[in-house]
Amino acid sequence: MPFSSLGLSAEVSRAVTEKGYTEPTPVQRQAIPVILEGRDIMAGAQTGTGKTAGFTLPLLHRLHATVPGGGRRAVRALILTPTRELAAQVAESVQTYGRHVPLKSAVIFGGVSINPQIAALRRGVDILVATPGRLLDHVSQRTLDLSQVEILVLDEADRMLDMGFIRDIRKILALLPKKRQNLLFSATYSEEIRTLADDLLDNPALIEVARRNTTAERVSQRVHPVDAKRKRELLSFLIGSNNWRQVLVFTRTKHGANRLAEQLGRDGMTAAAIHGNKSQGARTKALADFKRNAVRVLVATDIAARGLDIDQLPHVVNFELPNVPEDYVHRIGRTGRAGNEGEAISLVCVDEHAYLRDIERLLKRELPKEIIEGFKPDPSIKAEPIVQGRNGRGGRPAGGGRNGGGNGNGRGRAPRQEAGAGRGRRGEGRSQEGARPARTGAGGQRQDGNRDGGGNGAGKSRGGRPAAERFNARPRREVPALLGGGRD
Ligand code: AMP
């Protein structure tokens, strides 16, 4: 099915052609005609499915078709995202797809000066991309008027709830006109998402797309067993001997990411770390340097990497396996995107065998193992529990101790228990950045003040409901779809 049959305007279609897309992805095929009709949608689609164009293209079409005559510009479309990185990327897409349409867009997120944002808003903006925290800062400073919003997009709504934004979202909803079009995108459907959708959406079209099957078909996955203390050496060897130019490496902790990037630097490789403790400027720079091949290795934690859109990323390395198997799937979803071949490699030490078993159980297949010559694991080394950080209460290892993965940040985290999964103590008190938040402060307030998330979900509450209960209530539907789905 060509793009031309979707009913998009000539200006919007032209930008799509210039971008080089020939066919709409499944989410675009389903969502675009419905959004053009003006209906609300609830779409189960993850990053990598082409969802951004799926809402941006019809949004541009609709706003362009009804440009109000004269007067000052007003924010007519609001796109909310959980993280700064995603906001920046969505804003870039709005620019790209909207290049032939006379509409203005802006992006606002925390961690950077508010003044240029105020100036941009003053000049007039039709389409605003924002993270919730900074958006509310503007509202309280009266630098933003949301009374003319016609279309609201909640992108990665599940992530926004996970990061404790439900109160902010509800505050923002209260500022919008009642009559508007609502587009909700979420990778998973938890009880909370359903409740939000019930309140927000009016007779929505339900769109469910299987995540692209790149993980199953286009990404080759391999495990290299190796002793923990030799992982860094093996990583350098693999990068150097295969001459990989652009490698995304995952660690479990921020500390581990920093340390590994430094060590790789000492090995003569350009490397940068990206995680929630880095300033926004440092993160943006690291990502930009990586994209333009000035940095060869980007070391990231799970949350920091979520939503990163890096075209044609050929190599993803799990320096440490995540203790939540679904995160493995998210990680390797960074490679083989939009139809490109990719390679996902996991360096697995004896401490992580239980994690690997859980991942293989989820994938419903064994991953091929290959010992690299010279890096054969020492059979006399016995598995040690990965330390869970200061608040840890046992469970499996989490990146400290021998495996060189850092020592966690000591924050208490939510157990991501899944009913009946027999996980036992698994995941309790996890100290990884990728873990979901558990702490609830007095009155259910978030405790770390980093309101717009910025890639770090640590320490945020989700309205006072016990975290374990939330996760028990949350059916994880994304992964089977991912593994069994069609293209994109
Ligand atoms: P998203 O899910 O929005 O993060 O998009 C994932 C990637 O798919 C981005 O790199 C897009 O540029 C790319 N993409 C989106 N739509 C298409 C399309 N119709 N054909 C090819 N690539 C696309």
Side-chain angles (χ1 to χ4, degrees):
M1 176 200 262
F3 263 102
S4 53
S5 61
L6 293 177
L8 291 165
S9 69
E11 291 83 352
V12 175
S13 301
R14 195 172 145 207
V16 169
T17 309
E18 286 167 358
K19 182 80 182 149
Y21 302 161
T22 48
E23 287 214 0
T25 65
V27 71
Q28 292 163 1
R29 260 201 304 277
Q30 293 181 53
I32 291 173
V34 181
I35 299 173
L36 287 177
E37 277 173 29
R39 277 188 71 183
D40 284 4
I41 66 164
M42 161 118 173
Q46 303 184 350
T47 298
T49 55
K51 67 180 166 64
T52 314
F55 62 75
T56 306
L57 298 174
L59 180 151
L60 287 162
H61 173 112
R62 278 178 65 74
L63 295 186
H64 185 206
T66 57
V67 175
R72 235 180 110 230
R73 286 173 193 272
V75 175
R76 295 167 61 213
L78 174 64
I79 303 170
L80 289 179
T81 75
T83 65
R84 301 163 187 178
E85 279 81 7
L86 187 60
Q89 283 171 10
V90 170
E92 206 180 301
S93 296
V94 172
Q95 289 274 353
T96 305
Y97 303 135
R99 59 198 292 193
H100 302 300
V101 183
L103 296 169
K104 278 197 168 185
S105 61
V107 58
I108 58 177
F109 49 72
V112 294
S113 166
I114 200 167
N115 293 329
Q117 299 174 355
I118 294 174
L121 290 172
R122 249 193 225 126
R123 285 193 296 272
V125 166
D126 303 282
I127 302 164
L128 184 64
V129 186
T131 52
R134 180 55 69 91
L135 184 87
L136 286 173
D137 290 342
H138 281 279
V139 169
S140 62
Q141 294 196 25
R142 299 183 188 283
T143 48
L144 175 63
D145 173 15
L146 295 175
S147 67
Q148 304 301 311
V149 170
E150 297 165 24
I151 305 176
L152 170 73
V153 181
L154 291 186
D155 195 10
E156 298 200 357
D158 51 344
R159 202 61 172 183
M160 280 197 257
L161 299 191
D162 283 353
M163 293 173 78
F165 287 137
I166 187 64
R167 282 156 185 260
D168 288 352
I169 290 171
R170 294 211 177 270
K171 274 188 210 158
I172 294 165
L173 294 180
L175 300 166
L176 304 179
K178 293 242 169 330
K179 189 172 148 10
R180 57 170 198 266
Q181 184 177 18
N182 300 292
L183 315 175
L184 187 146
F185 287 79
S186 181
T188 54
Y189 294 135
S190 62
E191 282 303 310
E192 275 179 301
I193 287 287
R194 282 177 210 284
T195 308
L196 179 67
D198 282 348
D199 294 350
L200 183 71
L201 305 175
D202 177 22
N203 185 27
L206 299 177
I207 292 170
E208 179 80 28
V209 293
R211 189 173 159 144
R212 68 198 183 285
N213 64 355
T214 49
T215 37
E217 289 178 8
R218 304 202 71 111
V219 179
S220 82
Q221 300 172 61
R222 212 163 54 241
V223 168
H224 294 315
V226 61
D227 289 336
K229 64 177 187 301
R230 300 201 61 204
K231 281 189 177 187
R232 204 259 314 129
E233 208 185 324
L234 175 58
L235 177 62
S236 292
F237 172 77
L238 289 170
I239 294 172
S241 60
N242 295 300
N243 200 19
W244 292 342
R245 307 313 307 174
Q246 205 182 28
V247 194
L248 179 62
V249 178
F250 283 94
T251 60
R252 278 191 293 262
T253 66
K254 302 173 201 178
H255 178 76
N258 278 340
R259 195 163 59 176
L260 183 59
E262 281 165 21
Q263 287 170 333
L264 290 171
R266 284 199 289 274
D267 286 352
M269 261 164 243
T270 47
I274 181 166
H275 56 68
N277 276 5
K278 292 259 173 183
S279 73
Q280 186 55 40
R283 281 154 51 181
T284 308
K285 181 173 183 311
L287 185 59
D289 287 348
F290 185 62
K291 281 186 172 183
R292 65 182 174 87
N293 287 316
V295 159
R296 191 171 177 185
V297 188
L298 188 66
V299 188
T301 54
D302 289 287
I303 286 196
R306 187 169 159 117
L308 291 187
D309 176 16
I310 303 160
D311 281 341
Q312 304 184 6
L313 191 58
H315 307 287
V316 166
V317 177
N318 293 304
F319 187 76
E320 294 154 337
L321 287 181
N323 67 339
V324 176
E326 287 85 351
D327 284 345
Y328 173 87
V329 177
H330 283 303
R331 288 178 177 190
I332 70 170
R334 307 295 93 206
T335 183
R337 310 195 75 189
N340 295 298
E341 304 279 329
E343 188 173 46
I345 282 166
S346 300
L347 310 186
V348 178
C349 69
V350 66
D351 303 343
E352 296 171 302
H353 285 178
Y355 290 176
L356 181 61
R357 273 197 300 279
D358 285 354
I359 290 165
E360 291 181 329
R361 200 173 303 143
L362 178 78
L363 298 175
K364 297 197 173 54
R365 67 187 170 115
E366 263 191 47
L367 296 175
K369 323 265 175 326
E370 186 193 329
I371 293 174
I372 302 289
E373 210 180 313
F375 291 92
K376 189 171 185 293
D378 176 350
S380 70
I381 297 178
K382 297 279 171 285
E384 276 180 18
I386 296 172
V387 177
Q388 290 284 336
R390 270 170 286 159
N391 290 346
R393 292 175 307 209
R396 290 223 187 96
R402 278 201 329 223
N403 75 355
N407 57 6
N409 59 12
R411 292 170 199 246
R413 297 299 171 97
R416 193 195 303 217
Q417 297 165 351
E418 282 161 65
R423 298 240 159 106
R425 292 182 311 161
R426 177 75 192 292
E428 284 182 19
R430 289 181 298 134
S431 62
Q432 298 88 339
E433 182 181 78
R436 299 296 213 288
R439 284 193 317 194
T440 302
Q445 295 302 310
R446 287 183 310 258
Q447 295 183 343
D448 70 355
N450 181 13
R451 282 208 314 194
D452 71 354
N456 177 5
K460 297 190 175 89
S461 82
R462 295 195 297 173
R465 198 162 142 224
E469 181 191 321
R470 288 194 303 265
F471 283 110
N472 280 329
R474 179 179 195 180
R476 301 207 136 258
R477 290 176 29 184
E478 64 198 297
V479 172
L482 181 157
L483 297 169
R487 189 212 164 271
D488 200 2

